[in-house]
Amino acid sequence: MNHSRTIPREGNRVKLDHLSLPAALRKAPSGITGFDEITGGGLPRGRTTLLLGGPGSGKTVFALQYLINGARTYGEPGIFVAFEETSERIMANAESFDWKLAQLRKKKLLMIDAQPNFDLVQTGDFDLCGMLAGLGLQATQMKARRIVFDALDIVLAMLPDLSARRREIYRLHEWLVNRGMTCIFTLKASADNANSITQQPYGFMQFMVDCSVILNHSVVAGVSQRNMRVQKYRGSSFDENESPFVIGDGGFDVAIVRTLGRADVKVTNERVTSGVKRLDTMLGGGYYRAACVLITGFPGTAKTTLSGAFAEAACRRGERTLFVSFDSDGSEVIRNLASVGIKLDRYLKSGLLRMVSARTIVGSAEMSLVRIKAIASAHRARCLVIDPVSALSNSGTELAAHGVGQRLIDWSKADRITLVCTSLLNEIAEHSETDTPLHISTLSDTWIHLSYVVQAGERNRGMSIIKSRGTAHSNQVRELILSNAGVTLADIFTAGGEVLMGTMRWQKESAERVADEVAEVAGKVKLVTLDAQQAELEVRLKAVQTELLAKQLEKTLLARTTASRKAVILHGSVRMRELRGGDAPKHK
Amino acid sequence: MTRRSIYKFRLYVADDTMNSAQATANLHALCKSHLSGRHEIEIVDVFKEPQRAILEGIRMTPTLLRLAPLPIRRIVGTLMDTQRVLETLGLDTKVV
């Protein structure tokens, strides 16, 4: 295609898909969460879209929401032609959504009742020109750009034969194309064979329209499951897979695994504390901001406590936090956490923390996710705890739950929410440490596993970090200690290659303490003894030195006396001889 | 109703479509044979006067309205089934 096309670049490098510019002009955004992403921008502008679905699959809701968003957000007034329900009933039903329809009516959203009168006497062939003439005038008057024909099958059923139906559909189609209005036909399809619609009476419509969307409402394992699939879209790429959707307070919410063409979320090196100082040290500083942290463990291994510590720390930093509990009521969680020194009630009062008991959320995993997302964005949460996330997999199929887990993480990362999920591991289940019900373990950034370590007839809580992407982390299994002063990790004591926990650790700790004391005392005694010995030796040394000095003096004296005596003797004998005059002096 | 009563009809047609042309022809023929001299026919083209089609709630063409005598009767289609049309309009031969 237009690879050579030059796209003006502004200051920062803006990457534009070469298709995105013209495509944006060619499409009429529906404004429905997820749908515009699936179709790369919305419905084909100035063309017709067929919306197929069984009873209660949400055709009317989708079509109405498309018009409302068009009128409100995109400045495109619309007409809703109701063939089945009266417009009053449709409006009354729409009141249950937060669409605030009343202010839109008349000028930007026209509801036309076109329910056929079944008492109508009919002889011979007829056509829909009367309706088109009227619509043409109204569309011109209100400058309508969008139009919906709801339950077209009703009016088609009145036409006598297939060729008449075909003729009228093509007439309608041509009229729409000439006017350049973006149109949705909704059409009933039996719920179970929406795919084999081509065999159904209006199958030709699927070939005529430019876009065809199938809504499916089924019950899987006792849980309602809604799916949407774009079957065809002329001149555009689209997500061909089934996408689950829910109809919530705001209308349609289509779940998409990954926003097409979405830029990677800006990653950050910012750390947030886990609420347990020693755990932060093990993780090299804490969790990453906007990371997904998974805490797995058997029942009672303090998963909730660990996530509560995180929530408390987040609130202490002044970050808005949402705590979703599937197991117990919010007040119960707060009471239980208070017993281990995690005091959340003050943050609940100040509004920083919001507790949600998800037991009140009924429906599929998809529904729960949508609710959680809605509550989190209403609360503007920066930190989110889901306890336990494995509860999501309780309803519906495993595959659906897996998708939900993936979307949960995608969403939290995109919204830069730090997510802490706990996940219950089934003690009986084979997969033990290796897997979590939602397969969330492979997607999470940090995985902390809590377990019971049975040693010397005791169960103690052991904690280890199975993985932590992008951060150095300790390989040590640590003992998790809960007390009314809070949560902490015990010092490491090993013996015989085992990390000691519980009373064994305590014994070892006290034994070491006693041994320390004994050694200290012994040392002191030894020191004193040595001091005494040293003093004694020093005294002895002094005495000996003094004695030595005396001896030296004595020796000097002795030498001197000896010498003088010799001299005296020698001198004396010579003198004596001289005196006697006997001998002449020798050598003279 | 009396034999003397005047029948007022309004036929909504769409341009010169086949259906509309047939309906017009059928209505004229029927009036000639059954209501000679005591009928009024107004033909309204929905494309020329869409406002009237909206006000009257005309979705399908051709649509025949019997405005008088009251009550108003509506027939949709080409009026090809003469017997059915006569019954609906109260012009059944037995009644007449």
Side-chain angles (χ1 to χ4, degrees), chain A residues 12 21 50 63 67 109 129 133 138 234 262 300 478 486-487 511 516 542 544 546 580:
Chain A
N12 284 341
L21 256 180
L50 187 61
L67 286 186
L109 179 61
C129 289
Q138 281 160 318
R234 282 191 189 138
R262 188 189 73 186
R478 297 287 291 263
V487 186
D516 271 355
K542 197 86 181 165
V544 169
T546 315
R580 284 172 187 157

Side-chain angles (χ1 to χ4, degrees), chain A residues 113 121 123 125 127 131 137, chain B residues 19 51 59 61 76-79:
Chain A
D113 281 303
V121 180
T123 76
D125 205 4
D127 52 54
M131 180 179 72
L137 177 68
Chain B
N19 292 339
Q51 195 62 46
R59 313 278 174 223
T61 46
V76 166
T78 54
L79 310 175

Side-chain angles (χ1 to χ4, degrees), chain B:
Chain B
M1 70 182 70
T2 65
R3 292 179 63 116
R4 294 287 91 200
S5 58
I6 300 281
Y7 278 75
K8 286 187 180 171
F9 296 107
R10 186 182 293 152
L11 181 65
Y12 287 91
V13 296
D15 274 348
D16 48 359
T17 54
M18 178 106 78
N19 292 339
S20 294
Q22 283 174 2
T24 312
N26 284 337
L27 180 64
H28 278 298
L30 186 134
C31 286
K32 204 171 186 177
S33 60
H34 290 82
L35 294 164
S36 183
R38 50 189 185 102
H39 66 269
E40 292 169 15
I41 296 173
E42 184 189 10
I43 308 278
V44 177
D45 186 335
V46 290
F47 286 113
K48 293 197 177 93
E49 297 178 83
Q51 195 62 46
R52 292 183 70 178
I54 294 169
L55 289 174
E56 200 66 65
I58 303 299
R59 313 278 174 223
M60 298 141 190
T61 46
T63 298
L64 175 68
L65 295 188
R66 186 196 74 183
L67 300 168
L70 291 171
I72 294 175
R73 289 264 161 84
R74 268 178 190 242
I75 307 176
V76 166
T78 54
L79 310 175
M80 60 186 269
D81 184 349
T82 313
Q83 188 55 37
R84 184 95 195 278
V85 175
L86 290 175
E87 278 168 22
T88 311
L89 295 179
L91 293 172
D92 204 327
T93 40
K94 284 167 208 156
V95 179
V96 176

Side-chain angles (χ1 to χ4, degrees), chain A residues 137-148:
Chain A
L137 177 68
Q138 281 160 318
T140 311
Q141 280 172 349
M142 67 182 291
K143 297 188 175 66
R145 306 292 310 136
R146 301 182 175 202
I147 192 161
V148 167

Side-chain angles (χ1 to χ4, degrees), chain A residues 227-374:
Chain A
N227 283 305
M228 164 186 284
R229 188 168 73 85
V230 177
Q231 190 191 35
K232 77 176 232 185
Y233 198 134
R234 282 191 189 138
S236 169
S237 62
F238 57 94
D239 185 346
E240 298 176 22
N241 298 332
E242 269 195 340
S243 307
F245 72 91
V246 294
I247 300 179
D249 292 339
F252 260 64
D253 193 321
V254 183
I256 37 168
V257 171
R258 200 169 282 282
T259 312
L260 293 173
R262 188 189 73 186
D264 272 352
V265 181
K266 230 177 106 189
V267 293
T268 172
N269 282 326
E270 188 190 343
R271 302 287 192 127
V272 291
T273 175
S274 64
V276 180
K277 220 177 212 162
R278 286 184 142 174
L279 179 54
D280 289 347
T281 314
M282 285 177 77
L283 288 166
Y287 307 140
Y288 274 120
R289 164 87 62 205
C292 169
V293 180
L294 178 68
I295 302 172
T296 58
F298 300 123
T301 46
K303 297 184 298 298
T304 305
T305 311
L306 210 55
S307 49
F310 166 76
E312 191 195 26
C315 288
R316 205 179 295 134
R317 289 193 304 271
E319 288 176 16
R320 303 183 70 86
T321 302
L322 176 65
F323 195 112
V324 182
S325 171
F326 279 92
D327 284 343
S328 37
D329 286 337
S331 47
E332 282 174 6
V333 173
I334 288 180
R335 182 201 61 201
N336 298 346
L337 289 178
S339 71
V340 287
I342 297 169
K343 293 182 177 57
L344 292 173
D345 47 353
R346 52 193 155 155
Y347 300 118
L348 199 63
K349 277 186 200 115
S350 72
L352 267 180
L353 178 69
R354 171 121 198 246
M355 301 290 297
V356 174
S357 174
R359 285 195 299 187
T360 55
I361 299 176
V362 288
S364 60
E366 206 64 61
M367 197 73 197
S368 305
L369 177 62
V370 167
R371 287 283 177 80
I372 291 170
K373 275 158 82 171

Side-chain angles (χ1 to χ4, degrees), chain A residues 23-157:
Chain A
L25 298 174
R26 284 203 312 262
K27 290 183 181 176
S30 66
I32 291 169
T33 318
F35 181 77
D36 291 346
E37 280 81 3
I38 290 174
T39 53
L43 300 174
R45 184 176 291 281
R47 305 292 180 87
T48 50
T49 296
L50 187 61
L51 192 59
L52 293 162
S57 59
K59 300 183 295 295
T60 306
V61 176
F62 183 96
L64 196 55
Q65 204 178 347
Y66 154 76
L67 286 186
I68 289 165
N69 289 336
R72 186 168 283 151
T73 315
Y74 305 107
E76 297 187 8
I79 298 177
F80 189 95
V81 185
F83 288 118
E84 194 162 42
E85 286 181 287
T86 63
S87 58
E88 277 77 27
R89 271 177 55 198
I90 290 174
M91 294 311 262
N93 295 344
E95 281 303 306
S96 62
F97 300 107
D98 54 5
W99 292 341
K100 301 178 188 70
L101 274 180
Q103 48 177 289
L104 265 186
R105 291 204 64 179
K106 300 294 172 215
K107 290 197 104 172
K108 289 189 150 179
L109 179 61
L110 180 67
M111 304 290 290
I112 292 180
D113 281 303
Q115 298 84 35
N117 180 359
F118 289 101
D119 295 331
L120 200 70
V121 180
Q122 181 196 325
T123 76
D125 205 4
F126 67 92
D127 52 54
L128 297 174
C129 289
M131 180 179 72
L132 294 185
L135 280 177
L137 177 68
Q138 281 160 318
T140 311
Q141 280 172 349
M142 67 182 291
K143 297 188 175 66
R145 306 292 310 136
R146 301 182 175 202
I147 192 161
V148 167
F149 292 93
D150 192 30
L152 195 63
D153 47 295
I154 294 281
V155 74
L156 290 179

